[in-house]
Amino acid sequence: MSDQNPFEDFDFGEETPSEPQPQEEKPSNRNFLIALGVIGGIFVLVAIALVAVVLFVLPQRNAALREQQQAQLAANTATAFAATENAQQALLLLTPSATPIPTATPVPPTNTPVIVQPPTATPTLTPTSVSDAQKATLSAQQTQLAAGKFTATVLPTSTALPETGFADQVGLPGMIGIGVALVVIILVARRLRSS
């Protein structure tokens, strides 16, 4: 037993030079690089689209918005001007004026012939450019003045809905679209890495 090596039966993990080892193949990064190129291309296209929107679409939209605001301002100014004129007319109509009290003065009789003429229709003054809304406003103001309120106030009213809010300021539909696109990119990248 002394001639035999007692450790001969044990394998210590030493490699014998006679057995060739197969080389492990490195995983190919080709799919990852393709996915990275597609994502990079998408981002470049989105950047180009954003530049186009900023340069072409936004100035036209802002110009149209400015024109709409100017038209609205002109309409509001005309309404306020008409209400002011109507209030002034109503105030003039209701303002008491000093009328002289008739005094008895003796009239000497004269021999002047009197010619009797048939009565004629007196023309009434009616404004031709007054709309129904302006007539209603004047009527309401005259009623208030007749009730003892000697101040005519014009209350401004809103003619358009506001265009503000979280979704309008932040662009909620765009954010949802970008979120969905990113989830799809994550799922595609995982699928490509696992294959």
Side-chain angles (χ1 to χ4, degrees), residues 24-35 189 191-195:
E24 294 182 18
E25 294 183 19
K26 291 186 177 181
S28 174
N29 288 337
R30 182 175 179 162
N31 290 338
F32 178 73
L33 292 176
I34 290 173
R191 176 76 50 137
L192 288 174
R193 288 192 89 190
S194 65
S195 62

Side-chain angles (χ1 to χ4, degrees), residues 22-155:
Q23 292 183 354
E24 294 182 18
E25 294 183 19
K26 291 186 177 181
S28 174
N29 288 337
R30 182 175 179 162
N31 290 338
F32 178 73
L33 292 176
I34 290 173
L36 185 65
V38 169
I39 293 170
I42 290 172
F43 281 126
V44 168
L45 291 176
V46 167
I48 290 171
L50 286 175
V51 168
V53 165
V54 167
L55 292 178
F56 299 113
V57 175
L58 288 180
Q60 292 174 356
R61 189 179 77 180
N62 290 342
L65 184 64
R66 269 190 244 107
E67 288 177 10
Q68 181 184 9
Q69 288 173 346
Q70 288 174 353
Q72 186 67 39
L73 182 63
N76 289 346
T77 303
T79 302
F81 183 71
T84 303
E85 281 187 3
N86 290 340
Q88 288 173 352
Q89 289 174 357
L91 195 58
L92 288 176
L93 292 174
L94 295 177
T95 304
S97 61
T99 55
I101 299 174
T103 58
T105 56
V107 178
T110 60
N111 288 331
T112 308
V114 176
I115 301 174
V116 178
Q117 292 182 349
T120 60
T122 58
T124 58
L125 299 175
T126 57
T128 57
S129 64
V130 177
S131 68
D132 292 334
Q134 291 173 338
K135 289 177 185 176
T137 303
L138 179 61
S139 174
Q141 289 173 346
Q142 288 174 346
T143 303
Q144 288 178 354
L145 290 172
K149 298 179 183 176
F150 293 101
T151 59
T153 58
V154 178
L155 300 174

